[in-house]
Structure formats: structure tokens, C-alpha cells
């Protein structure tokens, strides 16, 4: 069985459902940007995970489609508002909404995406609807809290590794954790099964974000993101924070310039990358990605053996080895 | 029985519940602005209406408190984001969040308020939870659509009275309609009762917004809003649109300056007000407020007689006579 092909198949079903779901919607002023961002590509990771979790635990993934697109729409809402806050002009190789349209359009189409996500959630016809809305809402709150922590990290001078891990737990991992939980709830899973799949989601989310930070520094090609963007923007990533704990002398000075956003441009990126390599930060990040991935995979060992489980294991390994 | 005192009592219970509900919440960066805006006053109209609708239809309003604060928190979220879009510096006599903090804080604390509103909704322990989430979500989507229509009106040169009514139906009246509907759902009302209370809410919402537009022009005192602000900002209100249909010559030219935001300052407000009076627009708006209020009240005539119903009738009359 070809996992790659199977993933594409899940993705295609999600894309089609999303397309049908967002076909209408007035006024255009509001819905055109929504369609623009949602049809601009994306891995559809969260909805695929949700469907797989549902299937793994004996549910019918087709009954979970509205929940799958709800988490994808919600995720895209967070991208739209985050891009405003980060003043990012590009996303997935195209202009961000606030850049292509304007600030007000980006705020408001983000808001309506948040609401639309709930609309698809309410279309679910499932027994444990209450718990599903609850899980979704918990994720939404934690994502906002994570973004607030991220903004705080960006302006604070007293930032530790713990702060960083708390931030990504909420900003990135929470939605992944709750996506698989929702899949499990739709499958009417028992408490132990839900805990197992939540642990998978949380640890996968942590691995995913660390890998993202890593790729910003070491990726060989550019896929809509500029290499070293985190360094140029002085993002307080795990790599920067860990390197700052270790580096001394002239190298420390350079990292502090990155940390303080003190005249850093892309010409400095190779040097910072070398410092990361020299102090073992690249290796350590790769090991952490591997560690969280292994925890994720081990969490679901107890769950039934089936195709969906094999896919979830394959996907975890793939994400931690991905190059984009 | 003193309605005024009774209203204060409902408001007090809501305020206390809101205070308890928002006591904690981290990080401060995110929750301080939330508490700031929510404790800055406000009539608590939507939650009071929700509780009264519940009571009128035989429900226990105390079981509806989490829904009541959900609609209030959601309403305040829309104010925070609308104030960004309108570039408003003041609200209820205090600085708006984006003015007191910054843009990012206002976007993000708005977002989390949206999510928190759902959190309180999910705390409800009621039979018709699914329908309640559905009604709340419909309101959220319509409010966004209404705001988009409002932004469109502000930049369009082809704006009719119909466009205006559609806009306020969604931007203002929808949340009021759905608030009372949620109250009725908590009371497990039947279809006919729900329709009656929805009609009350919708028409009350329309009357409320028209009265708001009117007060901007004719209010005798300033309560945190500047008089004639709509005129200075060229807001396309019912008054302006109707006056433009009627005025001729020099007066029409002045109204077009308002419409086109062509160098209008507060010195022009008395003149525009006189034009509104002269062309009967003030009288007509007052009549429309009265008309919608009467429809609202008539809608609930069929419902049981009790204290809550008397309060809803009193409240409708009071809102259409209010001076602030």
C-alpha cells in the first residue's frame, strides 16, 4: 500500500468538500479572501489527521468531513491574523490577505472564517457533539494564548527554552492534538483511546514546529518561505535560544544581534547557521524532533492495528524527515 | 413593580457572573485587554434580553447565565475589531484597545473573546445544545457579513436604503434576534414561541440601530460618543441616505460633501441637522423606530403573560425613547 498516494486521496476528498462548502457566501468583499486563502494550497495536515484518528478508532471518516474542514478553516483563520501581526507579505508563495486587500479585509475575513469553522462543526450529526465543540473551543483559546505568548517572546529579553516549549504547545500543538481528539470523539472512542491519540497529536505538533524552525535554517530550497527568515526577523526559536545558552565571545555577540534585531540582514544567515552547527544546536533540534516523533508513535502502539494507524505512523516519520 | 430596578438587578447578576468568569486567564497580555473592555460598562442589553426571553417562555434564567455572558463577550469582541476598522480611539468614554495597547493586542484579544464566548456556551447543560450553538454561530456569521456590508457602504457611491436595512439587520439586529432565540431554546420553547421571540429580537434590533443613528444627530448630551460623529465621518446612515433622496440645491451639495467626506468638520453638524429636520428625516426616523418597536411588541402578544413579558415590552418602549 502506497501511503503517499493514500495521503493524496484524503487530501483530495478534503479539498473537494472544502470547495463545495465555500462555493457561495456573500458579500464577495468578505468571502473572496476566504476562498483565496483556503484554495491557495496547504498540506491539509490537521484535517487528514482528524480523519485518520476517526478511522483508526473505528469511526467512518466520511461522517467526520465537516469537522475536518472546520479545523482547516480555523487553522487558516489563525494564519490570516498571524500574518497581520507578523507583518508578513507572503504565504505559500502568494500575497497575504492584508497585503493583497487591506487590513480591514484581513481582520474581518479572518473573523468570519472563525465563525464558519463553527458552522461546519455544528453540521456534524454525532452523539458526542457537546464534547467536540468543547475540544474545538479549547484549541481555539489555546491557539490565541500561544500567539500571545509568541508576541510576548518577541518583545521580551528574558526568554527561556521553557517559555518557547509552552508557546509552541499552545500555538501549534494544541490544534493538532484537538484535531485528532475530535476524530476520536466522532468515532465514540473510550477515555484511554482518546488519551493515546491526544498524546500522539501533542507530540507530533511539537515535533512539527521544531522541524519547521529547523527547516527555516537548513532547508535547501525555497517553497514560498525565505530561508533564514526567522534569523533575519530575530524570531526566538528553539535554535536561537539554545545557541544563546552555549555560545561565547564573538559568536555570542552575533546571536545577540539576531536576538535584539540589531541590523541583521540575510547576508548574516550563513554565519548564524554555522554557529548553530558549531554549538550542536542543529543536531540537538533534530534529535528533539526525533524524540517527540517517537513519543507520538509510541503513544498509539496500544491502539488497534489497521491501515489508519499505519498511516499515522508513516505520517509522523515523514513529517520529521520532511524537507519543506 | 419597578422595571428600572429589575433591569439593574438582571444587569448586576450578569456583571457578577462575568466578573467571576474572567477572573483568571493567562497571559495578561491577552486577558488584561479583555477584562478592560468587558468591565468598562455597557448596558448588557443582549444578555438581559436572553435571560428575559428564557424566563418568559418558562425557563430558569439562572441556567441561561453562561449563554448570557457568551453573547455579551461576543458582542464586545465585535466592538474591539470594529473599532480597529473604524479607527475609533474612544468607546464608552475610554480609549479603545488598539489605541491604549496596539493593533496586535486588539486583534488577538478580540479573537480570544470570540473563542471564550463559545467556551461559556459549551458550559450550558441543556437539552437543545446543538441548536443553541447553531443559533450563536449563525449570529456570528451574520454579524461579520453585516460589518462587511457596512465597510462596503462606506466606500460605495451607489448606496440605497435597502442596502442600509440589510446591513443593520445583520450587523446589529441578528445578534439581538439570536440572543432571545437562545434564551427560548434554553427554555425548550416550541416552534411558534421561538418565531415570536425571534421577530421581537429582530425588530427591536432594527429600532435600536435607527435610534442610535438618530441620537448621534440629536442627542442632548455626550456619553462617550461625540455628537454628530456620524456626520463628520460621513457614515451612510438612514438619515443621510433618506435626506439625499429629498434635498435639492445647496442643501444637497452639503449632504454630498458629508457623503463624500469632503472636508466636513464638526462646525457643519448643526447645519446638517437642520437639513435633516427640514426634510422631515428626523421625524421619519422617529416614526420608523416607533414602528419597529411596535412590531417587536406585537410579536410577543401571543406569548404567556408574566413579569418577563412585561419587562420585554417596557424595555422595547424604553429603548425607543432613550436619550443615550
Amino acid at each position: 500500500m502506497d501511503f503517499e498516494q493514500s495521503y493524496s486521496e484524503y487530501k483530495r476528498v478534503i479539498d473537494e468538500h472544502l470547495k463545495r462548502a465555500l462555493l457561495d457566501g456573500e458579500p464577495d468583499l468578505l468571502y473572496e479572501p476566504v476562498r483565496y486563502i483556503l484554495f491557495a494550497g496547504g498540506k491539509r495536515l490537521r484535517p487528514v489527521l482528524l480523519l485518520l484518528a476517526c478511522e483508526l478508532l473505528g469511526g467512518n471518516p466520511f461522517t467526520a468531513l465537516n469537522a475536518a474542514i472546520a479545523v482547516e478553516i480555523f487553522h487558516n483563520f489563525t494564519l490570516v491574523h498571524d500574518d497581520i501581526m507578523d507583518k508578513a507579505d507572503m504565504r505559500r508563495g502568494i500575497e497575504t490577505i492584508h497585503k493583497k486587500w487591506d487590513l480591514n479585509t484581513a481582520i474581518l475575513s479572518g473573523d468570519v472564517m472563525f465563525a464558519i469553522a463553527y458552522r461546519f462543526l455544528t453540521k456534524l450529526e454525532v452523539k458526542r457533539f457537546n464534547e467536540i465543540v468543547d475540544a474545538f473551543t479549547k484549541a481555539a483559546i489555546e491557539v490565541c494564548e500561544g500567539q500571545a505568548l509568541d508576541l510576548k517572546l518577541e518583545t521580551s529579553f528574558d526568554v527561556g527554552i521553557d517559555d518557547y516549549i509552552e508557546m509552541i504547545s499552545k500555538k501549534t500543538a494544541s490544534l493538532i492534538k484537538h484535531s485528532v481528539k475530535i476524530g476520536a470523539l466522532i468515532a465514540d472512542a473510550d477515555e484511554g483511546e482518546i488519551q493515546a491519540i491526544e498524546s500522539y497529536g501533542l507530540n507530533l505538533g511539537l515535533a512539527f514546529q521544531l522541524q519547521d524552525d529547523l527547516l527555516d535554517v537548513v532547508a535547501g530550497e525555497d517553497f514560498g518561505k525565505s530561508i533564514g527568515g526567522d534569523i533575519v526577523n530575530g524570531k526566538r526559536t528553539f535554535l536561537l535560544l539554545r545557541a544563546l545558552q552555549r555560545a561565547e565571545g564573538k559568536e555570542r555577540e552575533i546571536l545577540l544581534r539576531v536576538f535584539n534585531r540589531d541590523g541583521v540582514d540575510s547576508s548574516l544567515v550563513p554565519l548564524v547557521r554555522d554557529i548553530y552547527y558549531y554549538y550542536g544546536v542543529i543536531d540537538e533540534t533534530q534529535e528533539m524532533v526525533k524524540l517527540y516523533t517517537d513519543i507520538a508513535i509510541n503513544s498509539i502502539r496500544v491502539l488497534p492495528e489497521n491501515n489508519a494507524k499505519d498511516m499515522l505512523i508513516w505520517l509522523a516519520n515523514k513529517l520529521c524527515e520532511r524537507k519543506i
Side-chain angles (χ1 to χ4, degrees), chain A residues 15-29:
Chain A
D15 280 337
E16 278 176 11
H17 194 68
L18 204 49
K19 201 151 260 174
R20 265 197 310 279
L22 296 174
L23 214 56
D24 43 17
E26 293 267 350
D28 276 347
L29 171 67

Side-chain angles (χ1 to χ4, degrees), chain A residues 125-138:
Chain A
E125 289 177 13
V126 288
K127 207 163 69 177
R128 296 168 77 174
F129 178 70
N130 204 320
E131 288 170 86
I132 290 167
V133 177
D134 199 43
F136 189 83
T137 302
K138 279 214 173 76

